[in-house]
Amino acid sequence: MMTMTLKHFFLVIALLTSCLSIQAQGKFDPAKFKADRQKYITEEAGLTQQEAAKFFPLYDEMSDKLRAIHKQKKALRKSKPTTEAAYRKVIEQRDAFEVRMKEIERTYHVKFLNVLSAKKLYDVLNAETRFYKNAFKKTAKK
């Protein structure tokens, strides 16, 4: 399960990076991307309108928090340490960001289970992975 989560995490990061490069070219529409993601997950996981109405505000909240940490990690990757101690500190900060992201996911998974059954959440998580995988493939073809 941890391996799947790490694969998912890296897939999301790769997709976000690709999307950001497309955005720089003026082609990426974040609102459309978000709407497409929501539609895909709703259909693939078989969410009812009521379930989607309860789930997606929480999901978007989690995504915003994860995106904020990702921006911090990105800034950290651009840093240029000059001493062994500075390199060590950057590595520790990267690890701390990774742990914080997992804590956020775990917290929100509990919240999600208050509005969806475990099966539906499982289906949502798998649909999310497929959505990002498909979006990444489309981006790579351009």
Side-chain angles (χ1 to χ4, degrees), residues 127-138:
E128 177 189 41
T129 300
R130 285 190 306 274
F131 174 81
Y132 283 117
K133 185 177 179 181
N134 291 337
F136 183 72
K137 283 181 183 178
K138 287 179 189 175

Side-chain angles (χ1 to χ4, degrees), residues 30-65 67 108 111-116 120-121 123-129 131-132:
K32 181 179 181 337
F33 181 83
K34 183 177 174 180
D36 289 347
R37 179 183 64 190
Q38 183 172 335
K39 181 180 179 205
Y40 183 89
I41 291 171
T42 299
E43 290 174 358
E44 291 293 309
L47 299 181
T48 65
Q49 288 181 343
Q50 295 81 7
E51 289 170 330
K54 291 177 184 176
F55 171 75
F56 281 105
L58 290 171
Y59 180 83
D60 292 340
E61 196 177 284
M62 178 188 75
S63 295
D64 291 345
K65 289 180 180 181
R67 191 170 19 265
Y108 276 88
K111 291 180 181 185
F112 297 158
L113 288 168
N114 289 324
V115 297
L116 298 176
K120 287 270 180 127
L121 179 55
D123 291 344
V124 163
L125 296 174
N126 286 334
E128 177 189 41
T129 300
F131 174 81
Y132 283 117

